[in-house]
Amino acid sequence: MRTALRLLALALTLSALPVRGQDRPHAVTGAEMRAEARTLAGADPALLAEVEAAEAEAARGVLGAGPSSIRQTVPAGATWALPITRSSDAAATIAVRRIGTTPVALTILDATGRQLCTDNSGSALLTCRIAAGGGPLVARVANRGSDATDVLLLMN
């Protein structure tokens, strides 16, 4: 599954690049990312199987989250928070793809403010997987750098 996540991250990176004449591309949908990952997988049966597994889980985990990805500029030293409603019967995977080299951290909190997951590994793709269970979540992305940065928040 890690290879499929890498393919999805690559697809996301490619689709997040600015288009000439546009300041910002449209929000990338999960369907667009999975289609690009399928293209990048080529004829490799193992990669195609992973993409199919990602497609099978596409509608699981997060409810009413709108697009599968949201791009946001986070000012230097600031934190951006987004409320999320999770499904009670499926685990949620929430990830952040940073655009550029500015370090960011991802933290997921429950409705009471209890930290459920954090990833501050410094990687370009930060990931939190939250067990099934109802109730709201808050995804927080903290910019640890001295420059503003764009991030893409991805949700299943």
Side-chain angles (χ1 to χ4, degrees):
M1 194 66 160
R2 288 189 95 26
T3 305
L5 285 174
R6 286 187 195 118
L7 283 174
L8 288 171
L10 177 60
L12 180 61
T13 300
L14 294 174
S15 60
L17 295 175
V19 176
R20 186 174 298 166
Q22 292 182 350
D23 290 337
R24 230 175 251 267
H26 70 285
V28 180
T29 67
E32 289 170 322
M33 287 188 291
R34 290 185 300 277
E36 183 69 16
R38 181 175 288 284
T39 300
L40 293 171
D44 185 320
L47 292 178
L48 287 172
E50 290 188 35
V51 172
E52 288 170 6
E55 288 172 337
E57 290 193 21
R60 299 179 64 192
V62 175
L63 301 173
S68 295
S69 70
I70 300 168
R71 185 172 178 154
Q72 179 71 30
T73 301
V74 183
T79 299
W80 170 59
L82 180 73
I84 299 169
T85 302
R86 64 180 162 165
S87 170
S88 61
D89 62 345
T93 300
I94 302 163
V96 167
R97 169 75 168 102
R98 65 180 160 88
I99 309 299
T101 59
T102 301
V104 296
L106 170 64
T107 303
I108 307 299
L109 308 167
D110 68 9
T112 66
R114 184 174 58 103
Q115 181 176 308
L116 301 177
C117 177
T118 189
D119 185 343
N120 56 9
S121 64
S123 174
L125 182 65
L126 306 173
T127 306
C128 280
R129 186 160 172 85
I130 307 301
L137 301 173
V138 175
R140 287 192 180 163
V141 180
N143 180 342
R144 304 281 191 220
S146 58
D147 294 317
T149 191
D150 280 3
V151 296
L152 291 166
L153 183 80
L154 312 166
M155 301 168 282
N156 67 331

